[in-house]
Amino acid sequence: MAAKKLRAVRWDKGVVYLLEQRVLPFQEKWVKCDTVERVAKAIEEMTVRGAPAIGITAAYGVAVGAMRSKAKTATAFEKEVEKAIARLRRTRPTAVNLFWALDRMAECLKAISVLSVAEQKRALVKEALLIHAEDEALCDRLGKHGSKLLAKAKNVLTHCNTGALATGGDGTALAAITHAARKNKKLHVWVDETRPYLQGARLTAYEVAHAGIDFHLITDNMAASLMKKKMVDAIIVGADRIVANGDTANKIGTYALAVMAKAHGIPFYVSAPTTTLDLTKKNGDSIEIEQRNPKEVTHPQGVPIAKESYPVYNPAFDVTPGSLITAIVLETGICRAPYQKSLRSALTAAQKESK
Amino acid sequence: MAAKKLRAVRWDKGVVYLLEQRVLPFQEKWVKCDTVERVAKAIEEMTVRGAPAIGITAAYGVAVGAMRSKAKTATAFEKEVEKAIARLRRTRPTAVNLFWALDRMAECLKAISVLSVAEQKRALVKEALLIHAEDEALCDRLGKHGSKLLAKAKNVLTHCNTGALATGGDGTALAAITHAARKNKKLHVWVDETRPYLQGARLTAYEVAHAGIDFHLITDNMAASLMKKKMVDAIIVGADRIVANGDTANKIGTYALAVMAKAHGIPFYVSAPTTTLDLTKKNGDSIEIEQRNPKEVTHPQGVPIAKESYPVYNPAFDVTPGSLITAIVLETGICRAPYQKSLRSALTAAQKESK
């Protein structure tokens, strides 16, 4: 428990360092990104992954470009930074946090155009550090609120990867676990491997081990029998999108856990920032589910387990009805049913804060 | 659908041929076993797997030994055959069907001791062929009964491997699917990959493809979201052991499917021979669950996805309560709740038949 906090993205003297996630947990290799192109490639090639972590890395990428600039005039400098932003935008076309972070850096650049080049450089670095610090603080708030729900749990089950490797801080759902474990030394975690992409086996197990928390790795289909044997006290997962009635899109396999939690009387929690809320949608029926590459199923880690020609169904997400969710943890606090009301209040509170 | 019936064990002129299951579905390689030692090694090294298929192979192994014998006297011949039986017994210490088949060959040997060596050889080959033919007929009966339950189903989901690769015929649960598909041309199968050992991805998908049946391969954690979308009409699985109240031990992940089937109003069927019944046990609480090698979880197909040092929980089976099982298909017919009564009647009927 005394281990140093895990961070996957670090800024040091004009350079971004990324923990190479493709070789985890077998190697702890830091990739030095001292040019915009190196940062862009690291995002493209998934050295860094997880929506918040990608956004933070992109912001640092702009800062790297700014610091390396040899421009003498503000106009030349701004052009260079804009070029860096454009390059970083082309890395991951569906990453919402990436665009959000780059938009914010672009806005910052506009706001500081009256300053000298040296001052502009400092301001852009400061903005990137702020984006990172804000995410770290957000994780802390999620962890603090979520940990209250796990205060008495001995065995907590989690799915997919929601920790330090995906964010700028301790994570979302996993932050609740790591924060709870600081007080509750007997906490034990069941880490679902999370097929098909194995985020649990490859990344979450590493995070939990790094935090010094007792855990066991399981395959996804073992969770139900653990619940039957009363070996699970609570389940907590992250979210990709939460709509007005609490219906939650998250990594495939989440819905199965929620159904089984209900059948066994086990609380099922979701933890995510308010930026995940999409209250324009009444319920989850209209959430479109992306079909991913069949090779994720037939070739885990690139190794064939079935013929490539076999037909595969590979939805990225499923939708868990709000009615199966005991509580939703947001940075503003804990929301319970009716979610139409509690999520609306939370979003209003978050918007007030950010003003 | 016109494809030749898949068979994993073949006898031809004194030699056993085994379809090498460790290289399926990528290669269709037949292993020629023309000595007792080669048959024994094939069982040990899992060229052949599935309880009935192992039993049949062992019986053929005895026949191979008998046919190759150069003994001139009945006494010398019997000693050689007994040695063959002893060698085959040492191959898989927990395989019940293996011992059952070898006991039967040993009994046959005793019963024919008055015959000449040539006559004894013929009798032992005949007995092995009979063991195989009986299993094939058993599969046909399971298939016939089970297929009635799937007559109107469009989408059937199955777990683990219960087809021709595990038995001497069309299988148990999978036989219901292949028999139903002969009449119901629109039948579509969801094949669960079945972590950790991936029997579904490696073997069942191959069997279903070989039978020309429409299917998709999925990861185990996708089943629930298919049920929610009404894309599953029935689930059918095999069984390792069924006790008096219908509680059924089967491959890990079975219980999760039964819970989800119940939650979605989908029928959940089990198919197995009456030899699987253990009516001395009132319920499944006392069924001991074997923990298997952690490397099955951390190293699927030998490839690391997590650190070998990580703690793993890897139960081979789970127990599904009889109350979640819509019907149990036995070779004698279809049993429904109350299972205490229906399973007892089925067992009595099966015992009468075998007299």
Side-chain angles (χ1 to χ4, degrees):
Chain A
M1 296 300 304
K4 207 174 156 190
K5 275 185 185 176
L6 180 64
R7 292 293 178 262
V9 185
R10 293 183 192 272
W11 172 264
D12 190 30
K13 295 173 194 144
V15 176
V16 195
Y17 294 88
L18 299 171
L19 186 53
E20 175 58 87
Q21 302 205 18
R22 292 173 300 175
V23 298
L24 283 178
F26 309 106
Q27 292 175 50
E28 291 177 1
K29 182 182 156 193
W30 286 89
V31 177
K32 183 178 175 177
C33 300
D34 52 5
T35 66
V36 174
E37 188 55 31
R38 281 189 189 137
V39 176
K41 279 261 181 283
I43 296 172
E44 279 169 356
E45 291 168 359
M46 295 180 74
T47 291
V48 63
R49 41 145 304 280
I54 288 171
I56 293 159
T57 302
Y60 281 139
V62 179
V64 165
M67 291 302 284
R68 282 182 66 93
S69 171
K70 296 202 169 86
K72 295 280 186 320
T73 69
T75 314
F77 175 76
E78 282 159 29
K79 265 200 182 158
E80 258 189 72
V81 175
E82 277 162 11
K83 213 177 129 191
I85 292 174
R87 171 67 187 95
L88 289 159
R89 268 188 208 285
R90 287 196 305 272
T91 51
R92 293 282 299 272
T94 60
V96 176
N97 284 58
L98 172 79
F99 299 117
W100 172 86
L102 291 173
D103 285 347
R104 195 162 141 182
M105 294 302 284
E107 276 166 36
C108 174
L109 182 66
K110 269 189 200 167
I112 59 179
S113 61
V114 292
L115 304 181
S116 71
V117 170
E119 284 168 328
Q120 287 199 38
K121 286 183 180 183
R122 275 196 296 277
L124 286 169
V125 170
K126 203 176 152 192
E127 186 72 5
L129 285 166
L130 185 64
I131 288 173
H132 192 169
E134 282 173 8
D135 193 65
E136 195 160 15
L138 179 75
C139 291
D140 274 340
R141 293 173 72 185
L142 288 170
K144 189 182 144 206
H145 296 309
S147 68
K148 289 178 197 157
L149 298 170
L150 307 179
K152 289 180 187 169
K154 280 183 196 155
N155 290 289
V156 179
L157 187 143
T158 191
H159 190 64
C160 203
N161 178 250
T162 61
L165 295 173
T167 64
D170 289 338
T172 57
L174 201 71
I177 292 174
T178 49
H179 284 237
R182 284 178 204 154
K183 291 183 186 173
N184 175 358
K185 304 289 177 195
K186 289 191 174 168
L187 194 79
H188 168 268
V189 186
W190 296 109
V191 177
D192 260 10
E193 67 172 2
T194 318
R195 279 284 282 147
Y197 206 58
L198 298 164
Q199 291 93 337
R202 295 188 294 111
L203 305 174
T204 306
Y206 173 81
E207 289 172 341
V208 175
H210 188 280
I213 302 170
D214 189 23
F215 77 101
H216 280 84
L217 179 64
I218 56 170
T219 62
D220 301 318
N221 61 12
M222 291 171 189
S225 70
L226 293 174
M227 294 187 212
K228 188 173 170 231
K229 290 182 192 164
K230 302 187 190 302
M231 290 162 77
V232 180
D233 303 312
I235 299 173
I236 189 160
V237 299
D240 278 80
R241 203 192 301 197
I242 303 171
V243 301
N245 68 345
D247 287 3
T248 295
N250 191 43
K251 188 62 58 202
I252 188 74
T254 301
Y255 171 62
L257 291 173
V259 170
M260 296 184 295
K262 179 84 171 181
H264 295 87
I266 295 166
F268 183 87
Y269 304 120
V270 169
S271 174
T274 49
T275 48
T276 311
L277 296 176
D278 175 4
L279 304 188
T280 61
K281 281 195 160 57
K282 274 191 179 175
N283 60 51
D285 296 348
S286 59
I287 297 177
E288 212 177 303
I289 305 293
E290 167 200 3
Q291 282 284 325
R292 293 186 56 84
N293 190 335
K295 285 190 84 170
E296 287 185 358
V297 174
T298 57
H299 292 63
Q301 296 294 89
V303 177
I305 58 163
K307 280 192 191 173
E308 205 174 330
S309 60
Y310 286 168
V312 164
Y313 182 76
N314 185 17
F317 305 110
D318 56 29
V319 177
T320 299
S323 58
L324 295 180
I325 300 171
T326 312
I328 297 174
V329 183
L330 300 169
E331 74 273 21
T332 50
I334 294 167
C335 293
R336 295 190 184 260
Y339 290 116
Q340 283 87 351
K341 204 178 152 192
S342 59
L343 294 178
R344 175 69 59 195
S345 306
L347 189 60
T348 308
Q351 284 165 344
K352 262 189 203 162
E353 264 184 39
S354 71
K355 271 175 195 167
Chain B
M1 294 303 302
K4 208 174 156 189
K5 274 185 186 175
L6 180 64
R7 291 293 178 263
V9 184
R10 293 182 191 273
W11 172 263
D12 190 30
K13 295 174 193 141
V15 177
V16 195
Y17 294 88
L18 300 172
L19 185 54
E20 175 58 86
Q21 303 204 19
R22 292 172 300 173
V23 298
L24 284 178
F26 309 105
Q27 291 176 52
E28 291 178 1
K29 182 183 157 194
W30 286 89
V31 177
K32 183 178 176 178
C33 300
D34 52 5
T35 66
V36 174
E37 189 53 31
R38 282 190 187 135
V39 176
K41 279 263 180 283
I43 297 172
E44 279 169 356
E45 291 168 359
M46 297 181 74
T47 292
V48 61
R49 42 145 305 280
I54 288 171
I56 292 159
T57 303
Y60 281 141
V62 179
V64 165
M67 290 302 283
R68 281 183 66 93
S69 170
K70 295 201 169 84
K72 294 283 187 323
T73 67
T75 314
F77 175 77
E78 281 159 31
K79 266 201 181 157
E80 257 188 73
V81 175
E82 276 162 11
K83 213 177 130 191
I85 292 174
R87 171 67 187 96
L88 290 159
R89 268 189 209 283
R90 288 194 305 270
T91 51
R92 293 282 299 270
T94 59
V96 176
N97 283 57
L98 173 80
F99 299 116
W100 172 86
L102 291 173
D103 285 347
R104 195 162 141 182
M105 293 304 283
E107 276 166 36
C108 174
L109 183 67
K110 269 189 197 165
I112 59 178
S113 61
V114 293
L115 303 181
S116 71
V117 169
E119 285 168 325
Q120 286 198 37
K121 286 183 179 183
R122 275 195 296 278
L124 286 169
V125 170
K126 203 176 152 191
E127 187 70 5
L129 285 165
L130 185 63
I131 287 172
H132 192 169
E134 283 173 7
D135 192 64
E136 195 160 16
L138 180 74
C139 291
D140 274 341
R141 292 173 73 185
L142 288 170
K144 190 182 144 205
H145 296 309
S147 68
K148 289 177 197 157
L149 298 171
L150 307 180
K152 289 179 186 168
K154 279 182 196 158
N155 289 290
V156 179
L157 187 143
T158 191
H159 190 64
C160 203
N161 179 250
T162 63
L165 295 173
T167 64
D170 289 338
T172 57
L174 202 71
I177 292 174
T178 50
H179 284 237
R182 283 177 204 155
K183 291 182 185 172
N184 175 359
K185 305 289 178 195
K186 289 191 176 167
L187 194 79
H188 169 268
V189 186
W190 296 109
V191 178
D192 260 9
E193 67 172 3
T194 317
R195 279 285 281 148
Y197 206 58
L198 297 165
Q199 291 93 338
R202 295 188 295 111
L203 306 174
T204 305
Y206 174 81
E207 290 171 340
V208 174
H210 188 280
I213 302 169
D214 189 21
F215 77 100
H216 279 83
L217 179 64
I218 56 170
T219 62
D220 302 316
N221 61 12
M222 291 172 189
S225 69
L226 293 173
M227 294 185 211
K228 187 172 170 231
K229 291 183 191 165
K230 301 188 189 304
M231 289 162 78
V232 180
D233 303 312
I235 299 172
I236 190 161
V237 299
D240 278 81
R241 202 191 301 198
I242 303 171
V243 301
N245 69 344
D247 286 3
T248 294
N250 191 45
K251 186 63 58 200
I252 188 73
T254 301
Y255 171 63
L257 291 172
V259 170
M260 294 184 295
K262 179 85 170 182
H264 295 87
I266 295 165
F268 183 87
Y269 305 121
V270 169
S271 174
T274 49
T275 48
T276 311
L277 296 176
D278 176 3
L279 305 189
T280 60
K281 280 195 161 57
K282 272 192 181 175
N283 60 50
D285 296 347
S286 59
I287 298 177
E288 210 175 305
I289 305 293
E290 167 200 2
Q291 281 284 325
R292 293 185 56 85
N293 190 334
K295 284 191 83 169
E296 287 185 358
V297 173
T298 57
H299 291 64
Q301 296 294 90
V303 177
I305 59 164
K307 280 193 191 172
E308 204 174 331
S309 61
Y310 285 168
V312 164
Y313 182 77
N314 185 17
F317 305 110
D318 56 30
V319 177
T320 299
S323 57
L324 294 180
I325 300 171
T326 313
I328 296 174
V329 183
L330 301 168
E331 72 274 21
T332 51
I334 294 166
C335 294
R336 294 189 186 262
Y339 290 117
Q340 282 85 351
K341 203 177 151 191
S342 59
L343 294 178
R344 175 70 57 196
S345 306
L347 189 60
T348 308
Q351 283 164 345
K352 261 189 199 161
E353 263 183 38
S354 72
K355 270 174 194 165

